[in-house]
Amino acid sequence: WAAQPDVRLLIAGARTPYSHQLEQQISNLIPEQQERVTVLSDFAEHEKPDLLAACDVFVLPSGYESFVIAFLEAWACKKPVIGTRLGAIPSVVDEGCDGLLVAYQDTEDLAQAILAFLADPQRRAQMGEAGYQKVLENYTWEIVADRIRAVYREVIARRAKLQR
């Protein structure tokens, strides 16, 4: 907030065993900072597009994701993303094109990435658009269903060959 005093933080998602710890950390902030933080837990699925649309950047610095569908949802709303250089995340996020990657649990690296996006609305828009195009080209329901069908066809064809 020292660099971007008007920024608000929206933390949204399902309650987890860490929710109490997060609430405690927020309660330790000074009152004017607490007012800038909104926590929405266990919201309805249909609310997600509106929540993403309200954000300038989507940040998910998790170390426990295999394929991060939440990034696709953010890109579908033309939002740039920040993820970690861990697991499958770097295979989904094209660093510097549709999002930024940071070292897992490196709060300074994460803060710098967030500040970089907040300082450059044009870059945010370009990366959000690149992510949106990625979703349209690779991750629509039709494209994904076609890929799954192709795998099934290949498996069935191989099995038929083996049975001959």
Side-chain angles (χ1 to χ4, degrees):
W1 283 304
Q4 296 281 340
D6 294 330
V7 168
R8 296 191 46 83
L9 175 63
L10 170 62
I11 302 170
R15 288 193 64 79
T16 71
Y18 300 107
S19 295
H20 179 72
Q21 180 182 355
L22 177 63
E23 291 161 356
Q24 185 63 44
Q25 290 174 330
I26 294 168
S27 73
N28 290 335
L29 297 172
I30 61 173
E32 91 175 16
Q33 290 174 337
Q34 288 180 33
E35 291 173 8
R36 296 179 187 154
V37 178
T38 301
V39 178
L40 294 174
S41 299
D42 300 323
F43 54 87
E45 187 69 23
H46 73 270
E47 296 176 280
K48 196 180 292 184
D50 291 335
L51 294 173
L52 289 166
C55 297
D56 291 322
V57 61
F58 178 79
V59 181
L60 184 62
S62 175
Y64 303 102
E65 307 298 327
S66 55
F67 181 85
V68 190
I69 197 163
F71 288 155
L72 302 183
E73 293 168 329
W75 287 327
C77 293
K78 297 187 177 184
K79 301 302 173 177
V81 302
I82 298 175
T84 58
R85 287 187 192 93
L86 195 63
I89 296 169
S91 69
V92 177
V93 177
D94 186 2
E95 186 169 15
C97 179
D98 50 38
L100 299 175
L101 297 173
V102 298
Y104 178 61
Q105 294 187 333
D106 185 333
T107 55
E108 184 61 32
D109 197 17
L110 178 60
Q112 291 305 314
I114 293 169
L115 288 171
F117 270 146
L118 293 176
D120 194 343
Q122 183 177 353
R123 185 178 187 203
R124 285 195 319 261
Q126 289 170 339
M127 287 193 182
E129 181 64 33
Y132 179 71
Q133 291 304 317
K134 179 188 280 188
V135 168
L136 292 180
E137 293 167 10
N138 298 290
Y139 298 109
T140 65
W141 283 113
E142 184 177 333
I143 291 169
V144 172
D146 285 347
R147 287 181 185 156
I148 292 170
R149 268 190 230 99
V151 169
Y152 276 109
R153 285 185 189 118
E154 183 179 326
V155 169
I156 291 168
R158 283 185 192 171
R159 184 174 171 98
K161 263 186 173 176
L162 289 174
Q163 290 178 346
R164 287 185 205 163

